[in-house]
Amino acid sequence: MSEITTAAERGLLRNRPFLALWSAQILSMTAANALTSSLIVLVAELTKSNTSSSLLILFAVIPAVLVGVFAGVFVDRSDRKQVLVATNLLRAVAVGIFFFLGEDILAAYVVNFLVAAVTAFFVPAEAATIPAIVRRSDLLVANSLFTITFNAAFLLGFIILAPIVIAFAGFGTVFVIVALMFAAAALLCVTLPPSEPATQRLGVDVAGVAVDRTRRDISEAFEYLRGAPRIAWALVYIAVTYTLVAVAGALAPGYVREVLLLPERSVVLIVAPAGVGVVAGLAFLNVVSRRIGHRHAIGLGLVAVSGALLILAAARPVAGVMRRATANELGEAFPFFVAVVMLTAFVFGIAYAFITVPSMTMIQEELPDVIRGRIFGVLNVLISVFSLLPLVIVGPVADLWGVAPVFVGSAALVAMVWIAGRGVRTRSPDATTSAT
């Protein structure tokens, strides 16, 4: 990739502290995503409930909302190296709970909450360490690499590693791998130089100042976004897409159980094609975006996502009709349904890349440096807010009426976003043809 080539040219890949931190990020974020993916499947197998799966993901979102601001304050007044080492070790220990309690529903919720809460401290510590170990002129390239690997870790951990290991070796093997990855990340962080001593100690007054500053920063970010509709819509596109991934992740085990009549760990039939689709989408983007521009690629991705969701929704009632006609079995139609679901998941993965990558590129290209941190803070808030309500309601809805209404509603939401943002895409500078 061009970012890695640039990093090599600038000598970043010969910077040992940077390589240690970057490797620790890859290991720890892949492990965290693999853990979330495996816990979703485990809870679905134990409870046969979509609501339980939704609650599990909520337990990963809530800690980030509750402690996000205070985590940053803590990191700024601590030795960041120690925070990085401790957070990775604590997550490894948290995963070890399974070796004492077994594959239990309560253990799944507790481990998920603890790991998410600790991760809320790891992320700002990592981001704050980068400027201390690279030259100022290399910050853009370094941050680009970390952004790429942050998204790649989701693909590798959530979509590839966990489903494949679960399918062939079981949950216990996944938990061992995850714990070892966290431990290895901690060892890498031990090699980092210590951070500068904090100028302020933790206290109630410091925490209050941090809250006030956060409110002010968010207010300034929204004020800027009112005059930058392209950036605002790019944030909405990313937030909506990430929310769809969270919803799909929560419902995927139930979908496999209800539609394909397969055990929940067969969710690899959905997530693996989606992961391949993301990779394929990244390859297609190199050709497509140069011809039609970022904003048309986003529009095309939104249309594809909406269509994919409708196809997945339609498969549910069609499968029901087929089962009633063939003694509750899909019979000869089974390979057809599997092929349709896998192909649709593949298209969903392509569309995910078409939406998120151009949107993030637009943000990075058009945002001035002085406001960039606050805008990304708003993005994190949007993702959390957009995720909370759907995750609360999609599980019960899917349990009462099946997954089809959830996917239809999600498709309708994407269609409304496509329509509402179309005018901005039409006015965009790179629009050479009618907006998609």
Side-chain angles (χ1 to χ4, degrees), residues 302-319:
L302 291 169
V303 171
V305 163
S306 187
L309 289 169
L310 289 175
I311 292 173
L312 291 174
R316 174 68 172 83
V318 172

Side-chain angles (χ1 to χ4, degrees), residues 63-64 67-68 71-72 75 91 115-125:
V67 305
V75 165
R91 287 185 289 182
V115 169
V118 175
T119 300
F121 290 85
F122 171 82
V123 173

Side-chain angles (χ1 to χ4, degrees), residues 255 258-259 305-320 337 340-341 344 401-412:
Y255 187 88
E258 293 178 19
V259 177
V305 163
S306 187
L309 289 169
L310 289 175
I311 292 173
L312 291 174
R316 174 68 172 83
V318 172
F337 271 91
V340 169
V341 169
T344 305
W401 296 293
V403 295
V406 175
F407 286 153
V408 170
S410 299

Side-chain angles (χ1 to χ4, degrees), residues 124-170:
E126 176 194 69
T129 301
I130 297 174
I133 59 176
V134 303
R135 295 172 300 184
R136 184 178 181 85
S137 59
D138 294 333
L139 274 178
L140 181 60
V141 176
N143 283 316
S144 296
L145 280 178
F146 273 76
T147 300
I148 291 169
T149 51
F150 181 86
N151 291 295
F154 174 80
L155 173 66
L156 181 59
F158 193 95
I159 296 179
I160 298 176
L161 177 62
I164 291 176
V165 175
I166 290 170
F168 292 101

